[in-house]
Amino acid sequence: MTKTKNIQNTAKELYMDYSATTPTRQAVLDEALPFFVEKYGNPSSFHSTGLVAKRTLQDARERVAKILNCDEKEIVFTGSGTESINLALKGIAFKNMIKNKGLGKGTFITGKIEHPAVLETLEWLEKFGFNIIEIDVDMNGIINLKQLQNDIKKNQEEGLPVLLVSIMYANNEIGTIQPLKEISEICHKYGVPLHSDGCQGAEYLPLDVTKLGVDMLTLNGSKIYGFKGTGLLYKNKNVIIESLIHGGGHENNLRAGTENIAGIVAMAKALEIAEKEKKKETIRLKKLRNYMVKKIKKEIPKVIYNGSATKRLPNNVNFSFEGIEGESILLRLNEAGIRVSTGSACASQSLDPSHVLLAIGLPHGLAHGSIRFTFGKDTTKQKIDYTIRELKSSIKFLRTISPEWNKQKSWRKR
Amino acid sequence: MKVEGNDWFYTKEVKEHFMNPKNFLKEEKEIKEFNGYGKVGNMKCGDVMEIWLLIEKNKIKDVRWRTFGCASAIASTSAMSEMVKGMSIHNALKLTASDIMDKLKGLPAIKVHCSVLGDEALREAIKDYESNNN
Ligand SMILES: Cc1ncc(COP(=O)(O)O)c(C=O)c1O
C-alpha cells in the first residue's frame, strides 16, 4: 500500500532503460519539425521546394560525414539500426551470390553476443550456402581475438573466402566495449572487411571510422535521442555491396525510397549533440555507474555484476540476483515507477534467457535473474538512490517467496 | 485508448496476486505443521514451485507455497492457494490449469506453462500426503 503512495509522490516514471530507447531531445525535435509541415519537399523534385529538401539532405550528410570522418558519399541513411545491419550483411552476401549464380560461397564471422539483427540475418543467410561462424567471448564479453584470427586463417587456407567480419562496438545488455581497432587489424591482415554494429556506442564512444578501422558501421537514431525508425550505414567506398531495396537511385543506389528528411536531420543533430557532450557525459555517468555498482554490491547479498568492470559503456549496469527471476523484479520496480530490462526468458518471446548472459558463462538460473539499468541524460544520483531502495525491498520480498533462494545457502562463486 | 504511466501487462487479478500474494511460506519453521509437500519445475525453464498442504479428513485445511518465476507464475500459485483452501482432496485433484487461469481472468499465451505448474505441484503434494498416510 505504502508502495503505491510512493510512486505517486516521488517518481511517476523513473526511466532507467536508455539502452532500449531514448526520448527525443527537444533540440533535435526543434530542428526536425519544419521538415514535416513547412519544408515538406521531395529531394528528387526538380523545383525549388524539392531543392530545399535536397540541400537539407546534403547538409545532413555532410554533418554526419564530418563526425564519422569519412566521405559524405559513404553515408547511407536507412530506416533503422536493424535495416543498416541487414544492408551491410545481405549486401555483401547478395554480391557474392550474384557472382556465384545464386549460391552463397564463403564465410561470415561474427560474435556470440551480437544483437539478433546480426545473428538472425546470418542464420537466414546460411540457407543460401554461406558458412557462419560465431566467435566466443570471455566472461567479460570480450571477443576471443585468437579464435577470430585462427578462424579467418583456417577458412582462407581451405579456400573458403571470409566475406565479412561483423562485431558489435558495444553490447546492448552488458555494455562490453570490443577492441575494434585490434579486431580490424586482424581482419585487414587477411583482407577481410569489418562491419560493426555501433548502435549502443554512438552516444558515448569515438566515432571516427578511420581510427576505429571499420569498413562499415551501423548507427541508429533511437539510442541517441534522435527518432526511432532512423538509422545509417557508413560504408567505405572500397567495399562493394548490393542494395536490398530497389526502385530509384536514392542513397547512392543503395536504398531506394523518398528520404525521411526530418528523421535524417534529427539523426545529424543528435549525433552532433552526442559528439559535443560525449566527454563530459561519459565522466558524469561513469561516476554514477560506479556509485550504483558499489552500492548494490554492498547492500544486496549474493549478486553478480555481469560484464566487464572497465571495458564498459558508462551508462550500463547489469546485475544478476541469486535465487529470483528477472521479470518479477522488473515488474515490482515498474510498480515503483522504475523502468528497467531483464535477460530473463519470461520477459521475452522465447523460453531461453539472454544468449548474451549464457555466452559469458552464466548458468540459466542467474541469467533468468538479471536486471539491466541503463542511464541517460536525466539520470541523477538521487534517482539511483531511489532505485536502489526499491530494488532492495523487491529483492528481499521475492527471495522470501523463492524456493531457489531458500534452498541455496551457499554462495556460489563464479 | 489512454496510455497511463502505470499501465500493466497482465490483468488486474494477476497484478493483485503478484504484488500482494496470499498464503506464501513466510518462515521455514511453519513447514512442520504441514503434511503434504510437492515441488515441480526446474531452473532451466525458469519456474520452480513448492507447495505445502495441511490435509485433515480428506480436506485441505491450509496451504503454503514458494515460487521462483515470473509474475504470472507467482500470481497463479497465489490464486491457486486461495482456491484450494477448504477444498476436498477429490475436488482439488480435479483442478486444472484453466481453472486457475479463469480465476486470474486470463494469462498471455506464452505464460500458460507457468500456471500449469500450479496444479501439478498441487497433485504432487496430495500424492505425497497419500503415500505418507496409507
Ligand atoms: C546493439 C543494437 N543493434 C541494433 C539495434 C536495432 O536498432 P533499431 O531498433 O533501430 O532497428 C539495437 C536496438 O535495439 C541495438 O541495441
PDB file of all heavy atoms in Angstrom, chain B residues 40-72:
ATOM      1  N   VAL B  40       7.681 -28.812  -8.209  1.00  0.00           N
ATOM      2  CA  VAL B  40       7.787 -29.064  -9.653  1.00  0.00           C
ATOM      3  C   VAL B  40       8.554 -27.928 -10.334  1.00  0.00           C
ATOM      4  O   VAL B  40       8.738 -26.862  -9.750  1.00  0.00           O
ATOM      5  CB  VAL B  40       6.398 -29.198 -10.330  1.00  0.00           C
ATOM      6  CG1 VAL B  40       5.659 -30.427  -9.841  1.00  0.00           C
ATOM      7  CG2 VAL B  40       5.573 -27.944 -10.118  1.00  0.00           C
ATOM      8  N   GLY B  41       8.952 -28.209 -11.578  1.00  0.00           N
ATOM      9  CA  GLY B  41       9.655 -27.185 -12.367  1.00  0.00           C
ATOM     10  C   GLY B  41      11.157 -27.347 -12.282  1.00  0.00           C
ATOM     11  O   GLY B  41      11.666 -28.173 -11.526  1.00  0.00           O
ATOM     12  N   ASN B  42      11.866 -26.578 -13.070  1.00  0.00           N
ATOM     13  CA  ASN B  42      13.324 -26.573 -12.968  1.00  0.00           C
ATOM     14  C   ASN B  42      13.877 -25.219 -13.385  1.00  0.00           C
ATOM     15  O   ASN B  42      13.219 -24.413 -14.026  1.00  0.00           O
ATOM     16  CB  ASN B  42      13.933 -27.708 -13.799  1.00  0.00           C
ATOM     17  CG  ASN B  42      13.680 -27.505 -15.276  1.00  0.00           C
ATOM     18  OD1 ASN B  42      14.191 -26.554 -15.879  1.00  0.00           O
ATOM     19  ND2 ASN B  42      12.869 -28.367 -15.859  1.00  0.00           N
ATOM     20  N   MET B  43      15.125 -25.010 -13.007  1.00  0.00           N
ATOM     21  CA  MET B  43      15.740 -23.704 -13.219  1.00  0.00           C
ATOM     22  C   MET B  43      15.982 -23.405 -14.690  1.00  0.00           C
ATOM     23  O   MET B  43      16.069 -22.262 -15.092  1.00  0.00           O
ATOM     24  CB  MET B  43      17.070 -23.631 -12.472  1.00  0.00           C
ATOM     25  CG  MET B  43      16.925 -23.484 -10.985  1.00  0.00           C
ATOM     26  SD  MET B  43      15.876 -22.094 -10.575  1.00  0.00           S
ATOM     27  CE  MET B  43      17.024 -20.749 -10.840  1.00  0.00           C
ATOM     28  N   LYS B  44      16.140 -24.459 -15.478  1.00  0.00           N
ATOM     29  CA  LYS B  44      16.467 -24.226 -16.872  1.00  0.00           C
ATOM     30  C   LYS B  44      15.342 -23.470 -17.574  1.00  0.00           C
ATOM     31  O   LYS B  44      15.572 -22.509 -18.288  1.00  0.00           O
ATOM     32  CB  LYS B  44      16.764 -25.549 -17.578  1.00  0.00           C
ATOM     33  CG  LYS B  44      17.595 -25.329 -18.805  1.00  0.00           C
ATOM     34  CD  LYS B  44      18.192 -26.612 -19.314  1.00  0.00           C
ATOM     35  CE  LYS B  44      18.370 -26.453 -20.792  1.00  0.00           C
ATOM     36  NZ  LYS B  44      19.475 -26.130 -21.448  1.00  0.00           N
ATOM     37  N   CYS B  45      14.094 -23.916 -17.304  1.00  0.00           N
ATOM     38  CA  CYS B  45      12.987 -23.210 -17.955  1.00  0.00           C
ATOM     39  C   CYS B  45      12.567 -21.996 -17.148  1.00  0.00           C
ATOM     40  O   CYS B  45      11.795 -21.162 -17.602  1.00  0.00           O
ATOM     41  CB  CYS B  45      11.820 -24.139 -18.232  1.00  0.00           C
ATOM     42  SG  CYS B  45      10.795 -24.464 -16.819  1.00  0.00           S
ATOM     43  N   GLY B  46      13.087 -21.909 -15.913  1.00  0.00           N
ATOM     44  CA  GLY B  46      12.887 -20.668 -15.187  1.00  0.00           C
ATOM     45  C   GLY B  46      11.654 -20.588 -14.313  1.00  0.00           C
ATOM     46  O   GLY B  46      11.209 -19.500 -13.964  1.00  0.00           O
ATOM     47  N   ASP B  47      11.073 -21.725 -13.946  1.00  0.00           N
ATOM     48  CA  ASP B  47       9.961 -21.706 -12.995  1.00  0.00           C
ATOM     49  C   ASP B  47      10.088 -22.887 -12.034  1.00  0.00           C
ATOM     50  O   ASP B  47      10.219 -24.031 -12.470  1.00  0.00           O
ATOM     51  CB  ASP B  47       8.613 -21.833 -13.720  1.00  0.00           C
ATOM     52  CG  ASP B  47       8.268 -20.547 -14.461  1.00  0.00           C
ATOM     53  OD1 ASP B  47       8.061 -19.537 -13.787  1.00  0.00           O
ATOM     54  OD2 ASP B  47       8.239 -20.584 -15.701  1.00  0.00           O
ATOM     55  N   VAL B  48      10.056 -22.595 -10.746  1.00  0.00           N
ATOM     56  CA  VAL B  48      10.092 -23.659  -9.741  1.00  0.00           C
ATOM     57  C   VAL B  48       9.028 -23.337  -8.694  1.00  0.00           C
ATOM     58  O   VAL B  48       8.905 -22.190  -8.264  1.00  0.00           O
ATOM     59  CB  VAL B  48      11.475 -23.755  -9.056  1.00  0.00           C
ATOM     60  CG1 VAL B  48      11.494 -24.895  -8.050  1.00  0.00           C
ATOM     61  CG2 VAL B  48      12.585 -23.930 -10.083  1.00  0.00           C
ATOM     62  N   MET B  49       8.253 -24.367  -8.331  1.00  0.00           N
ATOM     63  CA  MET B  49       7.199 -24.161  -7.343  1.00  0.00           C
ATOM     64  C   MET B  49       7.237 -25.207  -6.255  1.00  0.00           C
ATOM     65  O   MET B  49       7.442 -26.386  -6.521  1.00  0.00           O
ATOM     66  CB  MET B  49       5.846 -24.304  -8.042  1.00  0.00           C
ATOM     67  CG  MET B  49       5.185 -23.003  -8.321  1.00  0.00           C
ATOM     68  SD  MET B  49       3.786 -23.305  -9.386  1.00  0.00           S
ATOM     69  CE  MET B  49       4.030 -21.969 -10.529  1.00  0.00           C
ATOM     70  N   GLU B  50       7.004 -24.759  -5.029  1.00  0.00           N
ATOM     71  CA  GLU B  50       6.898 -25.665  -3.889  1.00  0.00           C
ATOM     72  C   GLU B  50       5.567 -25.416  -3.213  1.00  0.00           C
ATOM     73  O   GLU B  50       5.168 -24.251  -3.050  1.00  0.00           O
ATOM     74  CB  GLU B  50       7.976 -25.325  -2.863  1.00  0.00           C
ATOM     75  CG  GLU B  50       9.316 -25.962  -3.081  1.00  0.00           C
ATOM     76  CD  GLU B  50      10.283 -25.545  -1.984  1.00  0.00           C
ATOM     77  OE1 GLU B  50      10.431 -24.331  -1.748  1.00  0.00           O
ATOM     78  OE2 GLU B  50      10.870 -26.429  -1.361  1.00  0.00           O
ATOM     79  N   ILE B  51       4.927 -26.505  -2.792  1.00  0.00           N
ATOM     80  CA  ILE B  51       3.649 -26.346  -2.090  1.00  0.00           C
ATOM     81  C   ILE B  51       3.587 -27.257  -0.866  1.00  0.00           C
ATOM     82  O   ILE B  51       4.036 -28.412  -0.917  1.00  0.00           O
ATOM     83  CB  ILE B  51       2.473 -26.650  -3.051  1.00  0.00           C
ATOM     84  CG1 ILE B  51       2.301 -25.454  -3.990  1.00  0.00           C
ATOM     85  CG2 ILE B  51       1.176 -26.889  -2.287  1.00  0.00           C
ATOM     86  CD1 ILE B  51       1.252 -25.667  -5.019  1.00  0.00           C
ATOM     87  N   TRP B  52       3.080 -26.693   0.212  1.00  0.00           N
ATOM     88  CA  TRP B  52       2.835 -27.481   1.424  1.00  0.00           C
ATOM     89  C   TRP B  52       1.333 -27.475   1.694  1.00  0.00           C
ATOM     90  O   TRP B  52       0.689 -26.429   1.628  1.00  0.00           O
ATOM     91  CB  TRP B  52       3.536 -26.844   2.631  1.00  0.00           C
ATOM     92  CG  TRP B  52       5.028 -26.910   2.567  1.00  0.00           C
ATOM     93  CD1 TRP B  52       5.833 -27.864   3.129  1.00  0.00           C
ATOM     94  CD2 TRP B  52       5.908 -25.974   1.935  1.00  0.00           C
ATOM     95  NE1 TRP B  52       7.161 -27.588   2.871  1.00  0.00           N
ATOM     96  CE2 TRP B  52       7.241 -26.436   2.142  1.00  0.00           C
ATOM     97  CE3 TRP B  52       5.720 -24.810   1.201  1.00  0.00           C
ATOM     98  CZ2 TRP B  52       8.355 -25.765   1.651  1.00  0.00           C
ATOM     99  CZ3 TRP B  52       6.823 -24.135   0.709  1.00  0.00           C
ATOM    100  CH2 TRP B  52       8.129 -24.608   0.929  1.00  0.00           C
ATOM    101  N   LEU B  53       0.807 -28.683   1.994  1.00  0.00           N
ATOM    102  CA  LEU B  53      -0.629 -28.774   2.302  1.00  0.00           C
ATOM    103  C   LEU B  53      -0.808 -29.312   3.713  1.00  0.00           C
ATOM    104  O   LEU B  53      -0.032 -30.169   4.170  1.00  0.00           O
ATOM    105  CB  LEU B  53      -1.329 -29.727   1.326  1.00  0.00           C
ATOM    106  CG  LEU B  53      -1.339 -29.350  -0.161  1.00  0.00           C
ATOM    107  CD1 LEU B  53      -2.025 -30.458  -0.956  1.00  0.00           C
ATOM    108  CD2 LEU B  53      -2.018 -28.012  -0.390  1.00  0.00           C
ATOM    109  N   LEU B  54      -1.832 -28.815   4.378  1.00  0.00           N
ATOM    110  CA  LEU B  54      -2.271 -29.440   5.626  1.00  0.00           C
ATOM    111  C   LEU B  54      -3.611 -30.102   5.324  1.00  0.00           C
ATOM    112  O   LEU B  54      -4.606 -29.417   5.061  1.00  0.00           O
ATOM    113  CB  LEU B  54      -2.424 -28.396   6.738  1.00  0.00           C
ATOM    114  CG  LEU B  54      -3.007 -28.948   8.042  1.00  0.00           C
ATOM    115  CD1 LEU B  54      -2.113 -30.030   8.642  1.00  0.00           C
ATOM    116  CD2 LEU B  54      -3.231 -27.820   9.042  1.00  0.00           C
ATOM    117  N   ILE B  55      -3.586 -31.435   5.312  1.00  0.00           N
ATOM    118  CA  ILE B  55      -4.791 -32.163   4.937  1.00  0.00           C
ATOM    119  C   ILE B  55      -5.355 -32.862   6.173  1.00  0.00           C
ATOM    120  O   ILE B  55      -4.628 -33.566   6.889  1.00  0.00           O
ATOM    121  CB  ILE B  55      -4.486 -33.189   3.823  1.00  0.00           C
ATOM    122  CG1 ILE B  55      -4.014 -32.430   2.562  1.00  0.00           C
ATOM    123  CG2 ILE B  55      -5.711 -34.033   3.509  1.00  0.00           C
ATOM    124  CD1 ILE B  55      -3.517 -33.303   1.452  1.00  0.00           C
ATOM    125  N   GLU B  56      -6.619 -32.622   6.429  1.00  0.00           N
ATOM    126  CA  GLU B  56      -7.308 -33.293   7.541  1.00  0.00           C
ATOM    127  C   GLU B  56      -8.650 -33.784   7.042  1.00  0.00           C
ATOM    128  O   GLU B  56      -9.390 -33.025   6.422  1.00  0.00           O
ATOM    129  CB  GLU B  56      -7.499 -32.328   8.719  1.00  0.00           C
ATOM    130  CG  GLU B  56      -6.252 -32.191   9.582  1.00  0.00           C
ATOM    131  CD  GLU B  56      -6.396 -31.087  10.631  1.00  0.00           C
ATOM    132  OE1 GLU B  56      -7.536 -30.638  10.881  1.00  0.00           O
ATOM    133  OE2 GLU B  56      -5.355 -30.675  11.171  1.00  0.00           O
ATOM    134  N   LYS B  57      -8.948 -35.028   7.324  1.00  0.00           N
ATOM    135  CA  LYS B  57     -10.229 -35.638   6.907  1.00  0.00           C
ATOM    136  C   LYS B  57     -10.513 -35.374   5.428  1.00  0.00           C
ATOM    137  O   LYS B  57     -11.594 -34.906   5.050  1.00  0.00           O
ATOM    138  CB  LYS B  57     -11.371 -35.087   7.757  1.00  0.00           C
ATOM    139  CG  LYS B  57     -11.224 -35.421   9.222  1.00  0.00           C
ATOM    140  CD  LYS B  57     -12.547 -35.200   9.949  1.00  0.00           C
ATOM    141  CE  LYS B  57     -12.376 -35.325  11.455  1.00  0.00           C
ATOM    142  NZ  LYS B  57     -12.578 -34.055  12.160  1.00  0.00           N
ATOM    143  N   ASN B  58      -9.456 -35.652   4.618  1.00  0.00           N
ATOM    144  CA  ASN B  58      -9.593 -35.504   3.170  1.00  0.00           C
ATOM    145  C   ASN B  58      -9.903 -34.083   2.690  1.00  0.00           C
ATOM    146  O   ASN B  58     -10.386 -33.884   1.581  1.00  0.00           O
ATOM    147  CB  ASN B  58     -10.646 -36.462   2.606  1.00  0.00           C
ATOM    148  CG  ASN B  58     -10.110 -37.875   2.609  1.00  0.00           C
ATOM    149  OD1 ASN B  58      -8.918 -38.089   2.413  1.00  0.00           O
ATOM    150  ND2 ASN B  58     -10.990 -38.834   2.861  1.00  0.00           N
ATOM    151  N   LYS B  59      -9.645 -33.133   3.567  1.00  0.00           N
ATOM    152  CA  LYS B  59      -9.880 -31.734   3.182  1.00  0.00           C
ATOM    153  C   LYS B  59      -8.591 -30.935   3.310  1.00  0.00           C
ATOM    154  O   LYS B  59      -7.794 -31.170   4.235  1.00  0.00           O
ATOM    155  CB  LYS B  59     -10.926 -31.126   4.114  1.00  0.00           C
ATOM    156  CG  LYS B  59     -12.228 -30.862   3.408  1.00  0.00           C
ATOM    157  CD  LYS B  59     -13.116 -29.960   4.214  1.00  0.00           C
ATOM    158  CE  LYS B  59     -14.303 -29.600   3.353  1.00  0.00           C
ATOM    159  NZ  LYS B  59     -15.518 -29.366   4.017  1.00  0.00           N
ATOM    160  N   ILE B  60      -8.396 -30.013   2.399  1.00  0.00           N
ATOM    161  CA  ILE B  60      -7.214 -29.142   2.504  1.00  0.00           C
ATOM    162  C   ILE B  60      -7.541 -28.012   3.476  1.00  0.00           C
ATOM    163  O   ILE B  60      -8.327 -27.119   3.166  1.00  0.00           O
ATOM    164  CB  ILE B  60      -6.817 -28.578   1.127  1.00  0.00           C
ATOM    165  CG1 ILE B  60      -6.453 -29.736   0.193  1.00  0.00           C
ATOM    166  CG2 ILE B  60      -5.643 -27.603   1.264  1.00  0.00           C
ATOM    167  CD1 ILE B  60      -6.140 -29.322  -1.231  1.00  0.00           C
ATOM    168  N   LYS B  61      -6.935 -28.116   4.651  1.00  0.00           N
ATOM    169  CA  LYS B  61      -7.236 -27.115   5.680  1.00  0.00           C
ATOM    170  C   LYS B  61      -6.399 -25.856   5.489  1.00  0.00           C
ATOM    171  O   LYS B  61      -6.840 -24.756   5.751  1.00  0.00           O
ATOM    172  CB  LYS B  61      -6.953 -27.691   7.081  1.00  0.00           C
ATOM    173  CG  LYS B  61      -7.860 -28.824   7.468  1.00  0.00           C
ATOM    174  CD  LYS B  61      -9.017 -28.327   8.326  1.00  0.00           C
ATOM    175  CE  LYS B  61      -8.507 -27.717   9.611  1.00  0.00           C
ATOM    176  NZ  LYS B  61      -9.525 -27.620  10.641  1.00  0.00           N
ATOM    177  N   ASP B  62      -5.177 -26.089   5.075  1.00  0.00           N
ATOM    178  CA  ASP B  62      -4.294 -24.919   4.920  1.00  0.00           C
ATOM    179  C   ASP B  62      -3.251 -25.202   3.836  1.00  0.00           C
ATOM    180  O   ASP B  62      -2.996 -26.360   3.502  1.00  0.00           O
ATOM    181  CB  ASP B  62      -3.601 -24.590   6.249  1.00  0.00           C
ATOM    182  CG  ASP B  62      -3.260 -23.097   6.336  1.00  0.00           C
ATOM    183  OD1 ASP B  62      -3.448 -22.383   5.328  1.00  0.00           O
ATOM    184  OD2 ASP B  62      -2.786 -22.664   7.401  1.00  0.00           O
ATOM    185  N   VAL B  63      -2.678 -24.153   3.323  1.00  0.00           N
ATOM    186  CA  VAL B  63      -1.713 -24.293   2.227  1.00  0.00           C
ATOM    187  C   VAL B  63      -0.663 -23.179   2.312  1.00  0.00           C
ATOM    188  O   VAL B  63      -0.966 -22.067   2.742  1.00  0.00           O
ATOM    189  CB  VAL B  63      -2.449 -24.271   0.850  1.00  0.00           C
ATOM    190  CG1 VAL B  63      -3.367 -23.070   0.751  1.00  0.00           C
ATOM    191  CG2 VAL B  63      -1.465 -24.260  -0.313  1.00  0.00           C
ATOM    192  N   ARG B  64       0.575 -23.555   1.981  1.00  0.00           N
ATOM    193  CA  ARG B  64       1.653 -22.567   1.861  1.00  0.00           C
ATOM    194  C   ARG B  64       2.430 -22.869   0.577  1.00  0.00           C
ATOM    195  O   ARG B  64       2.416 -23.995   0.097  1.00  0.00           O
ATOM    196  CB  ARG B  64       2.624 -22.659   3.043  1.00  0.00           C
ATOM    197  CG  ARG B  64       2.060 -22.221   4.363  1.00  0.00           C
ATOM    198  CD  ARG B  64       1.904 -20.704   4.450  1.00  0.00           C
ATOM    199  NE  ARG B  64       1.386 -20.313   5.746  1.00  0.00           N
ATOM    200  CZ  ARG B  64       0.095 -20.345   6.094  1.00  0.00           C
ATOM    201  NH1 ARG B  64      -0.821 -20.746   5.222  1.00  0.00           N
ATOM    202  NH2 ARG B  64      -0.268 -19.982   7.297  1.00  0.00           N
ATOM    203  N   TRP B  65       3.114 -21.878   0.082  1.00  0.00           N
ATOM    204  CA  TRP B  65       3.878 -22.106  -1.155  1.00  0.00           C
ATOM    205  C   TRP B  65       5.069 -21.169  -1.252  1.00  0.00           C
ATOM    206  O   TRP B  65       5.159 -20.166  -0.543  1.00  0.00           O
ATOM    207  CB  TRP B  65       2.984 -21.897  -2.375  1.00  0.00           C
ATOM    208  CG  TRP B  65       2.360 -20.531  -2.422  1.00  0.00           C
ATOM    209  CD1 TRP B  65       1.131 -20.177  -1.935  1.00  0.00           C
ATOM    210  CD2 TRP B  65       2.928 -19.321  -2.971  1.00  0.00           C
ATOM    211  NE1 TRP B  65       0.904 -18.835  -2.128  1.00  0.00           N
ATOM    212  CE2 TRP B  65       1.983 -18.281  -2.760  1.00  0.00           C
ATOM    213  CE3 TRP B  65       4.126 -19.020  -3.603  1.00  0.00           C
ATOM    214  CZ2 TRP B  65       2.218 -16.965  -3.180  1.00  0.00           C
ATOM    215  CZ3 TRP B  65       4.362 -17.706  -4.020  1.00  0.00           C
ATOM    216  CH2 TRP B  65       3.413 -16.692  -3.802  1.00  0.00           C
ATOM    217  N   ARG B  66       5.966 -21.558  -2.153  1.00  0.00           N
ATOM    218  CA  ARG B  66       7.040 -20.665  -2.578  1.00  0.00           C
ATOM    219  C   ARG B  66       7.162 -20.810  -4.089  1.00  0.00           C
ATOM    220  O   ARG B  66       6.987 -21.910  -4.621  1.00  0.00           O
ATOM    221  CB  ARG B  66       8.381 -21.087  -1.977  1.00  0.00           C
ATOM    222  CG  ARG B  66       8.657 -20.612  -0.578  1.00  0.00           C
ATOM    223  CD  ARG B  66       9.989 -21.193  -0.174  1.00  0.00           C
ATOM    224  NE  ARG B  66      10.320 -20.951   1.208  1.00  0.00           N
ATOM    225  CZ  ARG B  66      11.097 -21.781   1.911  1.00  0.00           C
ATOM    226  NH1 ARG B  66      11.583 -22.882   1.358  1.00  0.00           N
ATOM    227  NH2 ARG B  66      11.390 -21.502   3.159  1.00  0.00           N
ATOM    228  N   THR B  67       7.480 -19.751  -4.761  1.00  0.00           N
ATOM    229  CA  THR B  67       7.618 -19.824  -6.220  1.00  0.00           C
ATOM    230  C   THR B  67       8.793 -18.985  -6.696  1.00  0.00           C
ATOM    231  O   THR B  67       8.959 -17.842  -6.283  1.00  0.00           O
ATOM    232  CB  THR B  67       6.325 -19.336  -6.916  1.00  0.00           C
ATOM    233  OG1 THR B  67       5.282 -20.253  -6.611  1.00  0.00           O
ATOM    234  CG2 THR B  67       6.495 -19.276  -8.420  1.00  0.00           C
ATOM    235  N   PHE B  68       9.594 -19.608  -7.564  1.00  0.00           N
ATOM    236  CA  PHE B  68      10.606 -18.872  -8.337  1.00  0.00           C
ATOM    237  C   PHE B  68      10.030 -18.740  -9.730  1.00  0.00           C
ATOM    238  O   PHE B  68       9.669 -19.735 -10.352  1.00  0.00           O
ATOM    239  CB  PHE B  68      11.920 -19.667  -8.388  1.00  0.00           C
ATOM    240  CG  PHE B  68      12.938 -19.106  -9.350  1.00  0.00           C
ATOM    241  CD1 PHE B  68      13.965 -18.297  -8.903  1.00  0.00           C
ATOM    242  CD2 PHE B  68      12.861 -19.387 -10.710  1.00  0.00           C
ATOM    243  CE1 PHE B  68      14.903 -17.775  -9.786  1.00  0.00           C
ATOM    244  CE2 PHE B  68      13.796 -18.868 -11.602  1.00  0.00           C
ATOM    245  CZ  PHE B  68      14.820 -18.069 -11.127  1.00  0.00           C
ATOM    246  N   GLY B  69       9.925 -17.526 -10.238  1.00  0.00           N
ATOM    247  CA  GLY B  69       9.430 -17.385 -11.594  1.00  0.00           C
ATOM    248  C   GLY B  69       8.885 -16.002 -11.837  1.00  0.00           C
ATOM    249  O   GLY B  69       9.019 -15.103 -11.001  1.00  0.00           O
ATOM    250  N   CYS B  70       8.257 -15.862 -12.998  1.00  0.00           N
ATOM    251  CA  CYS B  70       7.782 -14.549 -13.388  1.00  0.00           C
ATOM    252  C   CYS B  70       6.499 -14.192 -12.642  1.00  0.00           C
ATOM    253  O   CYS B  70       5.949 -14.991 -11.882  1.00  0.00           O
ATOM    254  CB  CYS B  70       7.573 -14.501 -14.896  1.00  0.00           C
ATOM    255  SG  CYS B  70       6.621 -15.872 -15.515  1.00  0.00           S
ATOM    256  N   ALA B  71       6.017 -13.001 -12.893  1.00  0.00           N
ATOM    257  CA  ALA B  71       4.828 -12.505 -12.197  1.00  0.00           C
ATOM    258  C   ALA B  71       3.653 -13.466 -12.331  1.00  0.00           C
ATOM    259  O   ALA B  71       2.935 -13.721 -11.364  1.00  0.00           O
ATOM    260  CB  ALA B  71       4.455 -11.130 -12.739  1.00  0.00           C
ATOM    261  N   SER B  72       3.468 -14.031 -13.521  1.00  0.00           N
ATOM    262  CA  SER B  72       2.299 -14.892 -13.707  1.00  0.00           C
ATOM    263  C   SER B  72       2.461 -16.205 -12.950  1.00  0.00           C
ATOM    264  O   SER B  72       1.474 -16.791 -12.493  1.00  0.00           O
ATOM    265  CB  SER B  72       2.032 -15.135 -15.193  1.00  0.00           C
ATOM    266  OG  SER B  72       3.117 -15.794 -15.785  1.00  0.00           O
TER     267      SER B  72
END
